[in-house]
Amino acid sequence: MPERERDARSLLGRLRDIMAGGGSPQVRLDLVTALIARGLGTDVCSCYVLRAGEVLELFATEGLSQAAVHKTRLRVGEGLIGEVAATGRALTVADAWSHPNFAYRPETGEDLFQSLMGVPMIRGGRVIGVLAVQNRESRDYEEFEQEILETVAMVLAEMLAGADLVGKDELGPVAGNAVLPMRLEGDRLNGGIGLGTAVYHRPEVMVHRLVGDDPETEMERLRTALSEMRQSIDSMLALHRDVPGEYHDVLETFRMFAEDAGWIGRISEHIQTGLSAEGAVRKVDDDMRLRMSQVSDPYIRERLHDLEDLANRLLRHLTGDGSTAALSDLPEHVVLICRSLGPAELLDYDPSRLRGVIMEEGSSGMHAVIVAKALDIPVIGRVPDVFQRVAPLDQVVVDGDHGHVFVRPGEDVREAFLNGVLARKQRRAFYQSFRDQPAVSRDGYRIKLMINAGLLFDMEGLVESGADGVGLYRTEIPFMARPSLPSVETQTELYDKVLELAGDKPVTFRTLDVGGDKLLPYWNRAPEDNPAMGWRSIRITLDRPAILREQLRALIRASGQRELRVMFPMVANVAEFRAARKVLMAELAREAARGTPPPRRVRVGTMLEVPSLIWQLPALLKDGVDFISVGSNDLMQFTFAADRANSRLAGRYDPLSPAALSILHRVVTLCDAAAVPLSLCGEMASRPLDAMALVALGFRFLSVAAPGVGPVKQMLLSTNIDQVRPYVETLLDLPDASVRENLRSFALDHGISLS
Ligand code: PEP
Ligand code: MG
């Protein structure tokens, strides 16, 4: 290596010292610009940072007039610096003055300089600034100089992202067409609108140490991390060995990428130039992402995307950082971007900040969506390529009512958003106007409209909506939101609070329904091939009765002298119901012996969500069950053999189908004959059209997410049930897959309000 190059490369070592040393980001920027000018033998080194409004501001300089710092500003695309930002590519010119794009800024004193080399500062595939050097004489910069400048630019980009130099919301994207507003479409999983800053649920790993001490040590770290990463992919492969088809193929391909010699070779080269292992991975990844934004071939994009995913995994192995964004410093209003999401993961976030969730996958039956409904957060699922199209810190409008995502919205969209907020406010006020009116159909049927709850926060919805009570209190939600299994005392306190907030309105507590996608963070369970049909819910609590006993004890104690309503989930046959009820009766006796005042009245019911129970319904009804609540989310999943959380099946089977409606009809007929109260508490009850069909079938109790009370009540007030019933009955024998449109037309023709 020639002496000049060796000297220049040694500046990376000094750069590391500056980064490791103290001082504000501004002080470090000043030191770095001085260091580069000295190290590369240039007369000027300047750092421009992208600010809101796509303006590049001079943040630090060695060689230009200090008076210009924080004053000189260029638009993206303006001048040579602006060109580097707009194209995301390095630019070297021996004679800047004769370049057609040169923009003269007298306040900088740059009339003295002839040649210029500028490189973009890139982070996450986006340009966030420009680093440039200039010389008095006309000079051809060498390749190694450009490489060094690019490496320094990367280090600075990382520092800027972690510093408060510029408001985080300002470090926005610029590269290519990424600045343009964009509209994406997906599935409506929960309605509502929100505006916020995009945050990746699994954020990019922050790399704090970009420059290495010794290339050999860094190579060794890389080799170890690569081998750990391959092992973890191998165990993923082993776990899914028997899964035929696409998923396995995808993992196999992914595994092959982990051996990609070109990719590993490029990382190794950067380690040799002085970067740490993680710095080198980040550099290769940044280069690739920038290229990706310019590639349109979907096959290549997919491959590059795989490499990006690998890079993130590798970085996690190198840095040991595997956390989600929930633990980080969040913007005031967050739109969460994720591939998929578990309910507990969603609960990790401060709900007052969440303005929307956008998923690459996702379906309406998944539990995270149910939690989002309770929190009134709009959710859009199955948005293709969301990670390529939305960058962290982008402003995003989520329109959950229409399934639209507006990325970097223009003034028109923002205005429409504000109008939408106003319209929703007005609609809410309208629902409020009949809040205290009972839900009675036009022909006089009184329907009890209850809410589904799971958080204390939901109980506000009971008061606000004027609902008749809580038809389903999902007790697992507070279990999921805690770091450990709550004690009897904690549970008693919580249930007591729920009952207190409900006042004289009834609350039906459902016992712990975990498993499937509702995992408790502190409960390490062996993975199951088919968790939705696995060891979950009542199956767990009957096998581990201590958990059930403790929960029931807490419920008995909390009820004081009020009514206690308990419901068991996922009951598949009468024997399970009896076994669970026996545990409750034994606990009541034990508590009575301890002197706990007994509840005023005890009502024991069951969810009906496993089809087998329908065929034992006559026996169950004779067995003294006090009430039944249909869990249509699970009942539909098991009836159609269609995983409620599988986005590819979302919308494929309709609960408004002759098959599903016939099943529900049978359940109503049997319960009516036995005079056992029957409700439905799955998501379908929250949709006015579905609720119309349910009341026509004979349901008189519906339990819905609190925001659904107003629209469903409005539907009821405008419906003549005796008119809908015979119509619905004519649909039950049709061969169609869905009768949704028939029902919609009926509603329109008969003035039934469905908004
Ligand atoms: C259901 O299955 O419809 C139900 C209400 O229970 P969960 O959604 O909590 O499984
Ligand atoms: Mg269920």
Side-chain angles (χ1 to χ4, degrees), residues 510 513 536 607 609 634 644:
R510 181 176 73 183
D513 182 18
R536 56 174 286 201
M607 298 277 293
E609 45 190 349
D634 276 315
R644 63 194 263 188

Side-chain angles (χ1 to χ4, degrees), residues 8 23 80 108 115 121 152 156 158 238 256 297 303 365 383 425 447 459 487 496 503 521 559 566 582 599 659 737:
L80 301 179
T108 61
S115 48
M121 298 199 290
V152 178
L156 287 182
E158 207 63 32
M256 263 166 45
D297 180 333
R303 300 286 77 83
V383 179
K425 239 192 199 160
I447 309 295
M459 299 303 289
S487 65
D496 178 53
S559 62
V566 176
K582 202 168 148 196

Side-chain angles (χ1 to χ4, degrees), residues 155-356:
V155 175
L156 287 182
E158 207 63 32
M159 180 188 93
L160 284 171
D164 293 331
L165 214 52
V166 180
K168 283 195 176 177
D169 295 351
E170 278 197 45
L171 280 177
V174 179
N177 61 8
V179 277
L180 299 175
M182 196 177 358
R183 197 188 85 171
L184 312 176
E185 284 187 16
D187 290 353
R188 294 171 292 166
L189 300 186
N190 191 31
I193 46 176
L195 165 66
T197 305
V199 170
Y200 283 0
H201 168 57
R202 295 213 171 272
E204 276 183 275
V205 182
M206 264 314 237
V207 176
H208 298 290
R209 200 179 136 269
L210 284 150
V211 182
D213 298 324
D214 161 44
E216 216 12 75
T217 317
E218 296 304 318
M219 282 304 294
E220 193 47 45
R221 291 184 61 230
L222 175 69
R223 281 190 284 269
T224 311
L226 274 169
S227 124
E228 281 172 11
M229 182 181 77
R230 285 177 195 137
Q231 269 170 25
S232 79
I233 301 175
D234 283 345
S235 39
M236 237 194 316
L237 266 167
L239 201 65
H240 297 277
R241 190 179 298 120
D242 302 329
V243 183
E246 216 182 350
Y247 184 55
H248 200 266
D249 293 349
V250 168
L251 280 181
E252 283 282 10
T253 321
F254 198 61
R255 175 73 173 80
M256 263 166 45
F257 272 112
E259 303 284 357
D260 187 280
W263 181 59
I264 298 168
R266 282 195 300 282
I267 298 172
S268 312
E269 273 168 29
H270 285 294
I271 290 181
Q272 296 308 332
T273 67
L275 290 182
S276 65
E278 49 270 52
V281 176
R282 171 54 43 89
K283 174 90 178 81
V284 170
D285 187 46
D286 276 344
D287 292 350
M288 202 183 58
R289 286 207 212 185
L290 195 65
R291 245 180 302 145
M292 192 153 77
S293 67
Q294 289 146 7
V295 172
S296 58
D297 180 333
Y299 177 79
I300 298 179
R301 282 183 70 96
E302 220 170 274
R303 300 286 77 83
L304 289 172
H305 189 221
D306 279 355
L307 279 178
E308 184 191 320
D309 204 343
L310 268 186
N312 252 320
R313 272 167 193 276
L314 191 51
L315 284 174
R316 283 184 218 289
H317 283 283
L318 281 164
T319 60
D321 176 3
S323 52
T324 72
L327 303 172
S328 65
D329 191 10
L330 291 170
E332 198 183 341
H333 297 152
V334 172
V335 171
L336 202 60
I337 315 286
C338 52
R339 272 187 225 295
S340 185
L341 197 68
E345 288 180 310
L346 180 58
L347 285 168
D348 279 343
Y349 289 87
D350 171 2
S352 68
R353 286 176 189 255
L354 284 181
R355 290 294 178 272

